[in-house]
Amino acid sequence: MALRLKELLLAKAVSVELIDLREKSLPFCDGGSAYADPRVIELTPKINNAKGILVVAPVYNYDLNAACKNVLELTGEAWNEKVVGFAVTAGGDASYMAPLGFANSLMIDYRCQIIPRYVYATGQQIRDGKIQSQEIAQRLEQLADELYKQLKQRSE
């Protein structure tokens, strides 16, 4: 989903940087020394300089995965007043509300504007990294369109 969203945004001439947490070995947020880690120091300005962020993450145990939450804890204030959207995947239908806790934290703590319609896909709709569902493909397009619209409004 992340690669498809990147393609959709690039087609609209939106500058995109994909940060794949599977490729980053970030320290666990410990409330102290982790903030001074060079990997965190490199990541924080990327988030800070972004006008919008699409969080594409798996759901584990009815919540966004720990790596995603760890990034928020490590980079905190860099999220201030961003437009944020979500595209999440899970094994089944029961975790569709998983992004809400993360979204609430972003709204309350960092005054982010959350795109209200997010993409929730199950393992049946995305297999081997490929989108199997036309509905999910359309929702990804809608998410990219809404991010583009919100960013354009902010720049006017």
Side-chain angles (χ1 to χ4, degrees), residues 80-93:
N80 278 340
E81 304 201 15
K82 305 290 185 232
V83 176
V84 180
F86 293 91
V88 300
T89 58
D93 295 328

Side-chain angles (χ1 to χ4, degrees), residues 8 14 16 20-21 24 28 34 39 41 56 59-60 69 79 86 92 104-105 111 124 135 143 146 148 151:
L8 291 165
V14 174
V16 177
D20 189 338
L21 296 180
K24 299 224 174 267
F28 291 114
R39 298 163 293 182
I41 292 169
V56 181
V59 171
Y60 294 112
K69 292 186 279 185
W79 290 78
F86 293 91
N104 282 337
S105 177
R111 303 293 187 245
Q124 295 300 316
E135 177 189 359
L143 180 59
E146 186 61 27
Y148 175 74
L151 295 177

Side-chain angles (χ1 to χ4, degrees), residues 29 39 74 91 106 109 112-113 126 132-135 140 155:
C29 183
R39 298 163 293 182
L74 288 169
L106 289 172
D109 296 335
C112 291
Q113 177 183 342
I126 296 181
Q132 305 294 319
S133 162
Q134 183 60 31
E135 177 189 359
L140 289 169
S155 68

Side-chain angles (χ1 to χ4, degrees), residues 16-80:
V16 177
E17 180 172 355
L18 179 64
I19 299 171
D20 189 338
L21 296 180
R22 295 173 301 180
E23 297 172 358
K24 299 224 174 267
S25 177
L26 294 173
F28 291 114
C29 183
D30 61 2
S33 64
Y35 302 118
D37 187 285
R39 298 163 293 182
V40 176
I41 292 169
E42 175 190 347
L43 179 61
T44 302
K46 291 179 181 188
I47 292 171
N48 190 53
N49 293 330
K51 303 223 183 322
I53 298 172
L54 292 176
V55 176
V56 181
V59 171
Y60 294 112
N61 199 25
Y62 304 99
D63 207 345
L64 292 189
N65 73 335
C68 192
K69 292 186 279 185
N70 189 50
V71 166
L72 178 61
E73 293 297 326
L74 288 169
T75 58
E77 297 293 322
W79 290 78
N80 278 340

